[in-house]
Amino acid sequence: MKHPGCWKMLTVAMCMALLGCLQAQELRGHVSVILLGATGDLARKYLWQGLFQLYLDEAGKDYSFSFHGAALTSTKQGQAFIAKVLESLSCPEDVAPDRCAELKGQFQRLSAYRHLATSKDYMALSKDIEAQIQHGGLREAGRIFYFSVPPFAYADIARNINSSCRPGPGAWLRVVLEKPFGHDHLSAQQLATELGGFFREEEMYRVDHYLGKQAVAQILPFRDQNRKALDGLWSRHHVERVEIIMKETVDAEGRTSFYEEYGVIRDVLQNHLTEVLTLVAMELPHNISSSESVLQHKLRAFRALRGLQKGSAVLGQYQAYSEQVRREQQKPDSFRSLTPTFAGVLVHMDNLRWEGVPFILMSGKALDERVGYVRILFRNQAYCVQNDERWVADQSQCLPRQIVFYIGHGELGSPAVLVSRNLFRPSLPSESWKELGARPGLRLFGRPLSDFYAYRPVREQDAYSVLISRIFHGRKDSFVTTENLLASWGFWTPLLDSLAHEVPRLYPGGAENGHLLDFEFGGAQLCFSQRQPERLVPGPGPAPMPSGFQVLKAKYRESPLISAWPEELIAKLADDIEATAVRAVRRFGTFHLALSGGSSPVPLFQQLATRHYGFPWAHTHLWLVDERCVPLWDPESNFQHLQTHLLQHVRVPYYNIHPMPVHLHQRLCAEEDQGAQTYASEISALVANSSFDLVLLGMGADGHTASLFPQSPSGLDGEQLVVLTESPSRPFQRMSLSLPLINRARKVAVLVMGRVKREITMLVSRVGHEPKKWPISGVLPSSGQLVWYMDYEAFLG
């Protein structure tokens, strides 16, 4: 070796290069994102776009990604759905079109759909992720599971993730949960306990999308960056009141089943507005970058909330609401809902900083405008001698002094932070917030925009994009912890209980509301400013309460008949179903319940979902008696009714839910797809002797039951268990259990409701066994247990 020094230098250089490669390799990590419910509305509208934005923000940095869209939809349908959604994704305006197309193509190649239902599916997913990481020479950084599914499915999914799909040592797990997180303190505690059996607290991210709204997300940073100016102002000595407002112009049409269960306080005030309140009222940590400190200070703010009294709230309901409920849920004409669609609540804090300062929380539907804001209004003891025309906007102390976090919509039409010019010029991060340009003629809170220092985001982002980024970066302070959730429900539940039977003030909706909903407060009391009008519109008097009537027991077609007013009848039927379920589970370990479609069972589903906490759902199999030949997500689908009104509110294991296979190979009820035979085989395999424990039927005005119609060529006799039939009304094609299979059931209940059924009820009471003319007359279970449930209008007219 002639030049040993050169060799030595070369060796050192090679070692340094190798070390650099190893360090780079060490920095790289792979993140798998699994979106459960990937074919649902929330995923389609927000979540896929939010995941794409995450990829736009993080592509080319220290992490590689894979995105797995998962659902119960068949693989072929799921792939088609995902492909369509991915094609619709968009980039922010500051991304060049060529670069956007390149990144979009990369994201599409990294995204795939998979059917995910059983524990084996989760194990296969985990193995695929591990193989992908090993093949790429990567290390696993972590996995994100986003639960865009109803809460009833949480437990099964959580169990499968915990047992079969956790990442390996050194990698993190984050599970993301969507509200509702319970209905009251007890149900929230039960759900939290169940999830706590599978996940650690630091692994759970409960989403309140309001915390991702840009103006809301700016509250703590604004307070931090303007500490010097705010230290002397942010207290009871200077703040007159705080208003936290969310107004909507839309009503609850199409969502009345959800609203009847939750109402405006549970839907908006208990979560969104209370979370915002804590951001305004909490003591500011020294380091707002510390998630732990922020969450601790938020919890202290929750604990400082003074208990609410009945007089702390005013309630309203837009005039058309009860009619919408009657129409959507098949309620009788006499039904009148007590669910509030508007609420104003007066909140106080029991601490030195905020003692005596009123916090006004208000939200409502069918109001005069769509807008959300947080307004901190400061006291003003100045008096100016000159006329207000001579006031200088940035000097006069007589102008109102306020800070507004403008969440969106309204006159501005975008998120903003507004500070009165007679307070101080605020400091905001210039890379993300810019001053609003002049908007002549625009007035906010009674003042021209020129009275404010006004800032808007440089780039508007939807709340889910913001939150998905924070999940990725592990920012727990933007999410609801178990302690904070239970503290919030502990605060709101007593008020909700006290208001359960309050009659809300009716209001017409929109601009016609006038001053009808204005309210005023003094001390701890809140009341409407105007006295309650005698009657908003002419109408009948109050409906009689069903508790004033007895349940009538008699005979109908030589079988037991139970008759009552609708609410009493549904309550009795629900009790009987629960008793049957408990007996079946005690005796056989499972309960097989077959439910009929149509509108009549909807109130029953709601009753079972909200009043029967002891129902053995974990051991219950749910089957359909009949189905319309439409996709399962179609509003006309019987399964969709079941899903909306029952399944999303109770915890039935997913494997115990058996929708009819009417949509196979992208065709509806095609004979060659053998959907009826498939369903019959499933029944034979799981239901002993193909004998359901209980079958719930209805009766049509033409005497049909299930989807077995007069003169039906199939299903009324023979060996087939499940048949395809034709309906005289749209959608014409149906799938139905056959009459022989129905008659194998241990018990059959027939629910008949409404005055329109009076004529067929009288006719069927007189006919014999003529199923070809009146299929309902062929319902004669071999066990002999047939019970008729009729409301008084169907029975007596």
Side-chain angles (χ1 to χ4, degrees):
M1 294 183 55
K2 295 181 179 179
H3 303 286
C6 291
W7 279 107
K8 189 174 182 180
M9 289 174 65
L10 183 59
T11 303
V12 170
M14 289 175 64
C15 289
M16 291 297 291
L18 180 60
L19 180 61
C21 289
L22 289 172
Q23 287 175 335
Q25 179 75 7
E26 185 63 30
L27 284 172
R28 292 196 68 199
H30 186 80
V31 176
S32 305
V33 183
I34 301 93
L35 176 54
L36 299 147
T39 58
D41 278 349
L42 181 64
R44 177 176 57 82
K45 291 177 182 175
Y46 299 108
L47 300 183
W48 280 110
Q49 181 65 47
L51 292 176
F52 181 47
Q53 185 62 52
L54 173 68
Y55 184 70
L56 292 176
D57 294 340
E58 301 298 331
K61 296 183 181 178
D62 294 334
Y63 293 94
S64 60
F65 291 90
S66 59
F67 300 91
H68 307 265
L72 298 178
T73 310
S74 70
T75 301
K76 192 170 182 179
Q77 289 174 330
Q79 287 172 338
F81 181 96
I82 299 301
K84 188 175 180 181
V85 172
L86 296 182
E87 192 55 44
S88 69
L89 298 175
S90 61
C91 297
E93 292 178 1
D94 57 354
V95 178
D98 290 348
R99 178 62 176 157
C100 178
E102 179 187 354
L103 290 168
K104 186 172 170 180
Q106 292 173 9
F107 183 77
Q108 288 171 326
R109 288 191 291 275
L110 293 171
S111 302
Y113 176 80
R114 65 191 303 141
H115 180 79
L116 203 55
T118 67
S119 57
K120 288 182 180 178
D121 294 334
Y122 283 85
M123 290 175 70
L125 170 63
S126 190
K127 287 178 180 176
D128 288 350
I129 291 171
E130 290 163 8
Q132 181 183 5
I133 291 165
Q134 189 174 6
H135 180 73
L138 305 169
R139 70 174 181 85
E140 184 166 24
R143 300 179 189 181
I144 297 171
F145 285 86
Y146 200 118
F147 286 44
S148 180
V149 296
F152 77 82
Y154 282 4
D156 280 339
I157 295 172
R159 184 180 295 106
N160 283 325
I161 292 172
N162 186 56
S163 65
S164 309
C165 212
R166 277 186 171 274
W172 44 255
L173 171 68
R174 291 171 191 155
V175 293
V176 188
L177 307 163
E178 284 281 347
K179 80 177 186 80
F181 310 122
H183 185 264
D184 53 19
H185 187 268
L186 177 61
S187 58
Q189 176 72 71
Q190 290 170 338
L191 183 58
T193 300
E194 192 166 35
L195 289 170
F198 303 112
F199 305 125
R200 297 191 299 275
E201 180 63 31
E202 63 268 22
E203 294 175 331
M204 291 186 283
Y205 289 70
R206 291 184 184 85
V207 170
D208 185 319
H209 78 272
Y210 247 56
L211 293 175
K213 301 275 188 182
Q214 287 176 284
V216 173
Q218 189 59 31
I219 293 175
L220 284 186
F222 177 90
R223 290 180 59 189
D224 183 53
Q225 291 155 14
N226 296 278
R227 280 180 192 262
K228 189 173 180 181
L230 290 174
D231 273 350
L233 290 172
W234 209 258
S235 73
R236 60 190 169 95
H237 301 296
H238 299 283
V239 175
E240 179 184 313
R241 71 173 184 258
V242 178
E243 301 169 359
I244 305 174
I245 308 299
M246 186 183 125
K247 297 169 69 177
E248 295 184 273
T249 54
V250 298
D251 59 23
E253 187 167 16
R255 294 183 70 229
T256 59
S257 61
F258 172 84
Y259 235 72
E260 274 297 276
E261 184 175 355
Y262 287 92
V264 70
I265 295 180
R266 289 182 174 91
D267 185 33
V268 179
L269 278 75
Q270 177 274 325
N271 38 72
H272 304 326
L273 303 194
T274 308
E275 286 292 325
V276 173
L277 184 154
T278 62
L279 295 176
V280 173
M282 64 185 273
E283 294 297 317
L284 198 60
H286 293 299
N287 178 14
I288 67 162
S289 297
S290 167
S291 292
E292 186 178 352
S293 294
V294 170
L295 291 170
Q296 285 175 352
H297 283 71
K298 277 184 74 173
L299 185 58
R300 288 174 197 157
F302 273 117
R303 289 172 176 166
L305 293 169
R306 184 186 303 167
L308 295 170
Q309 307 298 321
K310 200 172 184 179
S312 302
V314 290
L315 305 178
Q317 182 191 97
Y318 64 83
Q319 181 182 309
Y321 178 76
S322 283
E323 170 56 31
Q324 289 173 347
V325 177
R326 289 195 290 268
R327 184 173 66 252
E328 290 180 16
Q329 301 181 44
Q330 304 298 307
K331 299 283 187 181
D333 292 344
S334 59
F335 174 79
R336 176 72 63 188
S337 173
L338 296 181
T339 299
T341 61
F342 167 88
V345 178
L346 175 63
V347 177
H348 285 93
M349 307 284 294
D350 281 332
N351 59 24
L352 282 175
R353 181 180 293 276
W354 298 111
E355 181 67 35
V357 176
F359 287 75
I360 305 298
L361 277 58
M362 186 270 281
S363 184
K365 290 189 173 293
L367 300 182
D368 62 322
E369 62 176 338
R370 182 187 184 189
V371 69
Y373 61 83
V374 186
R375 183 182 181 218
I376 297 96
L377 189 64
F378 294 89
R379 302 182 196 279
N380 199 343
Q381 296 175 329
Y383 175 79
C384 297
V385 174
Q386 283 190 308
N387 183 286
D388 63 358
E389 291 179 2
R390 296 185 172 86
W391 294 353
V392 179
D394 59 352
Q395 293 178 1
S396 175
Q397 291 303 304
C398 290
L399 288 167
R401 301 192 302 163
Q402 52 196 319
I403 296 173
V404 180
F405 298 95
Y406 200 89
I407 297 169
H409 304 292
E411 293 293 326
L412 265 181
S414 68
V417 177
L418 312 171
V419 178
S420 294
R421 289 181 178 269
N422 58 352
L423 273 174
F424 60 90
R425 175 182 277 278
S427 173
L428 282 95
S430 59
E431 69 276 7
S432 53
W433 291 82
K434 64 181 180 182
E435 284 204 61
L436 265 169
R439 302 271 290 271
L442 177 62
R443 297 176 69 83
L444 296 168
F445 309 103
R447 303 302 307 170
L449 184 62
S450 58
D451 274 9
F452 299 94
Y453 296 110
Y455 299 81
R456 59 166 294 175
V458 170
R459 187 179 83 185
E460 282 191 48
Q461 284 186 280
D462 74 88
Y464 280 98
S465 293
V466 172
L467 291 176
I468 286 171
S469 174
R470 295 190 174 191
I471 293 161
F472 173 73
H473 290 289
R475 288 296 315 217
K476 284 282 288 183
D477 50 308
S478 296
F479 301 89
V480 181
T481 66
T482 300
E483 278 191 306
N484 286 350
L485 173 69
L486 297 180
S488 179
W489 275 120
F491 173 67
W492 285 103
T493 297
L495 178 71
L496 288 163
D497 290 344
S498 71
L499 296 174
H501 302 292
E502 282 292 295
V503 178
R505 169 174 289 197
L506 290 179
Y507 59 96
E512 295 178 28
N513 294 336
H515 297 290
L516 195 61
L517 297 177
D518 293 352
F519 53 82
E520 53 196 50
F521 51 89
Q525 297 293 304
L526 199 66
C527 61
F528 285 116
S529 301
Q530 289 188 5
R531 292 182 61 186
Q532 172 73 50
E534 287 301 316
R535 180 164 290 175
L536 197 61
V537 291
M545 295 300 289
S547 56
F549 300 90
Q550 295 294 315
V551 172
L552 172 67
K553 295 185 178 180
K555 288 275 187 180
Y556 180 81
R557 288 182 58 83
E558 300 183 359
S559 293
L561 166 70
I562 295 172
S563 191
W565 290 109
E567 290 88 344
E568 287 285 300
L569 184 70
I570 292 297
K572 171 63 175 165
L573 176 54
D575 287 344
D576 290 351
I577 292 174
E578 181 174 2
T580 304
V582 170
R583 283 195 300 270
V585 170
R586 191 179 298 135
R587 187 174 176 188
F588 306 111
T590 57
F591 174 56
H592 288 275
L593 172 62
L595 294 167
S596 189
S599 56
S600 293
V602 168
L604 172 68
F605 298 162
Q606 293 162 345
Q607 179 83 10
L608 288 170
T610 58
R611 303 286 175 85
H612 289 262
Y613 301 112
F615 200 104
W617 293 116
H619 304 284
T620 297
H621 283 258
L622 291 174
W623 303 83
L624 285 183
V625 167
D626 62 328
E627 181 59 279
R628 296 161 179 177
C629 293
V630 296
L632 293 185
W633 56 84
D634 191 289
E636 291 194 341
S637 162
N638 290 338
F639 180 76
Q640 190 59 234
H641 283 181
L642 184 65
Q643 160 81 5
T644 301
H645 301 292
L646 179 63
L647 293 182
Q648 68 177 354
H649 307 295
V650 298
R651 296 188 184 93
V652 181
Y654 292 45
Y655 322 128
N656 293 5
I657 299 168
H658 307 280
M660 281 185 158
V662 293
H663 195 187
L664 298 172
H665 307 115
Q666 296 186 314
R667 296 182 294 204
L668 293 169
C669 294
E671 288 273 6
E672 56 269 35
D673 292 333
Q674 297 190 320
Q677 293 91 322
T678 299
Y679 205 56
S681 298
E682 193 175 358
I683 292 168
S684 298
L686 295 174
V687 183
N689 302 318
S690 299
S691 298
F692 292 108
D693 296 300
L694 176 62
V695 173
L696 176 68
L697 300 175
M699 179 169 68
D702 59 354
H704 83 262
T705 192
S707 282
L708 303 172
F709 298 92
Q711 309 306 322
S712 175
S714 62
L716 299 178
D717 50 28
E719 298 298 320
Q720 280 188 279
L721 302 182
V722 183
V723 295
L724 294 176
T725 66
E726 292 285 330
S727 165
S729 59
R730 290 182 182 272
F732 299 120
Q733 284 187 295
R734 308 288 176 96
M735 185 180 289
S736 178
L737 302 187
S738 68
L739 198 54
L741 177 58
I742 290 170
N743 284 333
R744 286 192 198 180
R746 292 188 173 90
K747 183 174 181 178
V748 176
V750 184
L751 176 62
V752 188
M753 298 179 70
R755 190 169 297 168
V756 295
K757 302 291 177 67
R758 172 61 182 148
E759 188 174 333
I760 189 65
T761 299
M762 289 187 65
L763 176 63
V764 169
S765 71
R766 297 193 294 262
V767 303
H769 181 75
E770 299 182 67
K772 287 200 177 295
K773 289 185 179 179
W774 300 284
I776 189 68
S777 71
V779 177
L780 293 169
S782 54
S783 66
Q785 292 193 46
L786 170 63
V787 183
W788 296 81
Y789 293 80
M790 293 187 192
D791 71 355
Y792 286 140
E793 289 190 330
F795 184 49
L796 301 173

